[in-house]
Amino acid sequence: MEKDFDEVLARTARIATDWLSTLEQRPVGETATLDELRERLGGPLPAGPMPPVQVVQELAAATEPGLVAIPSGRYFGFVIGAGLPAAVAADWLTTVWDQNAGLYACGPAAAVVEEVAGEWLRELFGLPAGSSYAFVPGCQTAHLTCLAAARHHVLRQAGWNVEEGGLNGAPAVRIVASTRRHITIDRALRLLGFGTAGLTVVPADDAGRMDVAALRAVLAGPPQPTIVCAQAGEVNTGAFDDLDAIADACAPAGAWLHVDGAFGLWVLASPALRHLAAGAHRADSWAFDAHKWLNVPYDSGIAFCAHPEPHRAALSTTADYLVQGGDGSPRDAIDWTPGFSRRACGFPVYAALRSLGRQGVADLVDRCCALARRFADGLATVPGSQVVGEVVVNQVLFRFADDETTTRVLRAVVDSGEAWLSGTAVGGRRAIRLSVSNWRTSGEDIERTLAAFRAAAS
Ligand SMILES: *Cc1c(COP(=O)(O)O)cnc(C)c1O
């Protein structure tokens, strides 16, 4: 049995290191078309078995041209990090150990690692002592977790038990967010039964910061159960809502303040940048990702809640056959996450934090921001390019004379395989967005990408 694993895992490790060691040479984008990939991977359901080594080798060979080199230092799409070596290795072990981290009983070490990593993150971000947390698949699920806690809390204060009574006949809940909220907020609200119609939208400025005067005007209405969703790091511009001013507005209204800080909250780890999220600790809940700026492999999001009672009340579940609680009150993740059976996703987060330390996280965040700035400055050497707005953190928005040129140049750079970036719309015009979120990205990667843009633009 062990021999089976010896061979397949050794081969797999070689395939993995081959992939990592060729990242600098290979095209960043995929080279196969959809049809080619279907052709390479498809066929009828196999009738019989195939040895594991052959399965892995054939899988790796067939997928190769359809892989995007996301771990490459020149992948700048969305806000996607890579995997730190310690986090990738811990993620492999997570698979091999195969703990079911839903219950302490099915993975005591996994539960304690989550406890420790949760406390490290709380300390790193300066969130209130005693806050509860949940390791979840991503920021989307973190919103769902936090907003379920918020829903419980604001309705409980209005005398309604939403876990029992649902939303039929419940007091109306007012939910406020800005025009520039991330779409995952809307989906969390839909899943929680509020619908998107339950949302009061306030304006934001050009950079994407919530108009706090407009928020105050909304909250000035008659008292009502209220949830406010603010943002630390707008997905296009990286702009931060004024969290202190928003917390000031929420307090007299008794509103629950939730912060979407998918990537942006990581500035709290940087002494040089944490002023951008000043006031973050005054919120009631926070959702962010480890799979973005901390460079932990997917899936890795985290929900924090300043109030453990509503968090637990909203999520907790039990059945006679489960083994919950016990010596020294261990923590069962099923009481805090929307998942049930679940991967022990705390291991890679723990490994990333252990490998970087407080200083390493700050350096990673600072370095990405410095490289984004270097790219923005370097655009001066790219004919016809123009930076849009200001570089707040690790995102750069830029464009060319007209939408057609912007689209053409972006296409040419992506097709060259030198870098991968995506387009977006800003103020009704096309723009290119570059996000530096990868621990590997170097000054050389930035220069190579600028050279690719110079070649495409001339
Ligand atoms: C990426 C992102 C999300 C969604 O996070 P997932 O981890 O993909 O679920 C939410 N909000 C913001 C601001 C983001 O950048």
Side-chain angles (χ1 to χ4, degrees), residues 79 138-141 143 182 184 231 233 235 260 262-263 289 291-292:
V79 196
C139 197
Q140 170 74 78
T141 333
H143 288 326
H182 195 268
T184 48
Q231 187 164 253
V235 75
D260 176 356
F263 65 92
D289 279 315
H291 60 215
K292 289 184 177 171

Side-chain angles (χ1 to χ4, degrees), residues 55-426:
V55 172
V56 170
Q57 279 183 324
E58 288 188 7
L59 175 68
T63 50
E64 164 75 21
L67 296 174
V68 177
I70 284 182
S72 153
R74 281 168 290 107
Y75 182 88
F76 301 106
F78 310 102
V79 196
I80 289 186
L84 290 162
V88 168
D91 198 56
W92 284 15
L93 287 176
T94 304
T95 299
V96 172
W97 290 334
D98 202 21
Q99 306 292 285
N100 183 339
L103 291 175
Y104 177 85
C106 299
V112 172
V113 157
E114 287 190 7
E115 207 171 273
V116 174
E119 184 56 23
W120 284 351
L121 286 168
R122 189 199 63 71
E123 196 185 321
L124 187 64
F125 284 8
L127 302 182
S131 294
S132 51
Y133 57 88
F135 288 83
V136 293
C139 197
Q140 170 74 78
T141 333
H143 288 326
L144 187 65
T145 305
C146 292
L147 294 173
R151 184 182 69 163
H152 172 93
H153 180 78
V154 299
L155 284 173
R156 168 69 69 172
Q157 287 199 316
W160 186 265
N161 181 339
V162 68
E163 279 68 45
E164 227 172 78
L167 284 179
N168 288 331
V173 178
R174 176 172 56 189
I175 299 155
V176 193
S178 89
T179 45
R180 299 282 284 271
R181 69 195 178 280
H182 195 268
I183 48 169
T184 48
I185 292 284
D186 297 62
R187 183 154 64 173
L189 296 176
R190 257 161 51 199
L191 291 171
L192 287 165
F194 292 122
T196 40
L199 189 63
T200 303
V201 178
V202 294
D205 66 14
D206 284 349
R209 287 178 294 247
M210 181 188 280
D211 178 340
V212 184
L215 172 68
R216 269 189 229 107
V218 167
L219 297 182
Q224 190 182 329
T226 302
I227 301 169
V228 174
C229 300
Q231 187 164 253
E234 201 267 349
V235 75
N236 279 321
T237 62
F240 287 70
D241 285 347
D242 184 343
L243 298 176
D244 250 330
I246 291 172
D248 285 342
C250 286
W256 177 290
L257 174 57
H258 173 66
V259 178
D260 176 356
F263 65 92
L265 270 182
W266 289 97
V267 301
L268 291 171
S270 157
L273 295 170
R274 66 168 62 112
H275 64 94
L276 291 168
H281 64 284
R282 297 172 62 193
D284 299 287
S285 59
W286 305 264
F288 58 97
D289 279 315
H291 60 215
K292 289 184 177 171
W293 223 344
L294 186 61
N295 282 257
V296 166
Y298 293 97
D299 303 336
S300 194
I302 299 130
F304 263 91
C305 192
H307 317 287
E309 304 78 17
H311 181 178
R312 191 172 210 274
L315 275 305
S316 181
T317 186
T318 189
D320 290 340
Y321 78 93
L322 297 177
V323 185
Q324 282 164 288
D327 294 346
S329 310
R331 182 178 185 276
D332 291 306
I334 59 165
D335 290 326
W336 306 93
T337 68
F340 199 69
S341 292
R342 58 189 280 279
R343 184 174 175 81
C345 46
F347 288 131
V349 177
Y350 179 95
L353 293 171
R354 188 71 192 77
S355 128
L356 292 175
R358 185 191 287 276
Q359 186 63 47
V361 181
D363 290 348
L364 171 63
V365 169
D366 291 346
R367 190 171 68 245
C368 288
C369 294
L371 289 169
R373 212 160 290 269
R374 177 163 169 181
F375 181 86
D377 293 344
L379 281 173
T381 67
V382 178
S385 70
Q386 179 197 353
V387 177
V388 181
E390 60 170 318
V391 179
V392 182
V393 275
N394 58 336
Q395 327 286 320
V396 183
L397 277 176
F398 60 106
R399 66 179 160 221
F400 291 83
D402 49 58
D403 285 0
E404 217 182 316
T405 313
T406 301
T407 305
R408 181 182 58 74
V409 173
L410 172 61
R411 186 77 263 150
V413 169
V414 169
D415 287 349
S416 77
E418 278 291 279
W420 202 99
L421 307 84
S422 65
T424 188
V426 185

